Amino acid sequence: MKLFLDTANQAEVEAAVKMGVISGVTTNPSLVAKEGGDYIERVKYFCELVGGPISVEVMAADTEGMLAEARELAALHENIVIKLPITAESLAAIKQLKAEGIKTNATLCFSANQAILAARAGASYVSPFVGRLNDVGMDGMGLIAEIKAIFDNYDIDTEIIVASVRSPRQVTDAAMIGADIATIPFKTLEQMVSHPQTDLGIAKFESDWAKRK
Ligand code: G3P
């Protein structure tokens, strides 16, 4: 399973790239709004720095508006992936963007049927939101398992991005199910790195080393 970083923060992307473990970045309007500065320049910088897919969301609600925004964003860099919330309007846009060779990420996916529709429209990626499903008492990871089984049944090549990840355990669960990608906040990445026994082990090695004869 590949790991993407779910952020619009430059320092976080730089730190994760330095670690050498992420192959893409996903942003959304809420994440972009939290950051200052020129977001278009930052997105172009991420494209170069990460060298992999960078998802950027369109804000229009109608197909034509989505297409206009998508074409403008896609022209910025070959690594740009256009993120569209799944609606009847966006499915039409996804189909057209595929015909134009522009990659898409169908986001705000909360059901297997939405994932089937996104795949059939030709989305490159679909992003089911695990944490937000759990927030309303539903089984987020169960949805990932359903979509994975359906895509396997029909050799669908749309990649599953497990999104709205809130804990390291969810990353393990997503990998066990066989999801293609988990997009994770920087905090979750930090939590994945650490283990108390690793810290204790390092401290013991250091103190033993200091006492060497
Ligand atoms: O990848 C989607 C993500 O940005 C949403 O996460 O925690 O706001 O549900 P969250």
Side-chain angles (χ1 to χ4, degrees):
M1 185 176 72
K2 285 174 279 185
L3 296 173
F4 287 3
L5 201 65
D6 194 30
T7 186
N9 181 277
Q10 184 168 324
E12 290 181 351
V13 173
E14 287 171 346
V17 166
K18 184 179 172 198
M19 239 183 263
V21 294
I22 61 154
S23 24
V25 168
T26 52
T27 66
N28 66 36
S30 308
L31 292 171
V32 170
K34 274 200 325 200
E35 307 295 325
D38 184 338
Y39 120 82
I40 293 293
E41 280 311 309
R42 192 156 354 103
V43 162
K44 287 198 290 195
Y45 174 66
F46 290 171
C47 286
E48 287 295 319
L49 185 70
V50 176
I54 310 296
S55 288
V56 188
E57 195 151 337
V58 293
M59 294 306 296
D62 63 300
T63 306
E64 284 314 313
M66 288 174 178
L67 287 172
E69 273 185 60
R71 289 174 185 133
E72 209 169 304
L73 288 167
L76 294 175
H77 198 282
E78 61 184 2
N79 289 343
I80 297 278
V81 173
I82 305 302
K83 216 173 173 191
L84 310 94
I86 300 173
T87 62
E89 294 289 317
S90 77
L91 291 171
I94 288 168
K95 185 175 169 60
Q96 177 58 29
L97 291 170
K98 183 176 171 73
E100 296 177 23
I102 295 174
K103 290 194 168 175
T104 53
N105 176 355
T107 190
L108 289 171
C109 174
F110 291 96
S111 75
N113 284 336
Q114 287 180 318
I116 292 169
L117 291 170
R120 287 311 178 208
S124 319
Y125 305 94
V126 65
S127 292
F129 275 37
V130 165
R132 290 193 199 182
L133 265 180
N134 293 347
D135 287 345
V136 292
M138 298 188 71
D139 178 10
M141 211 48 77
L143 174 61
I144 302 301
E146 279 184 4
I147 297 171
K148 170 71 178 150
I150 292 165
F151 283 13
D152 284 354
N153 282 347
Y154 301 103
D155 287 330
I156 289 170
D157 59 9
T158 301
E159 292 189 69
I160 302 168
I161 303 181
V162 180
S164 188
V165 168
R166 310 265 178 81
S167 74
R169 180 66 228 179
Q170 289 173 329
V171 180
T172 307
D173 290 343
M176 292 292 292
I177 291 167
D180 300 283
I181 298 148
T183 189
I184 60 176
F186 188 71
K187 181 178 165 220
T188 305
L189 176 60
E190 287 181 314
Q191 291 170 326
M192 287 169 67
V193 174
S194 306
H195 195 285
Q197 288 291 1
T198 306
D199 297 340
L200 282 173
I202 290 170
K204 175 149 176 44
F205 287 153
E206 280 175 354
S207 79
D208 289 347
W209 186 251
K211 289 181 244 154
R212 74 186 184 279
K213 308 228 162 42

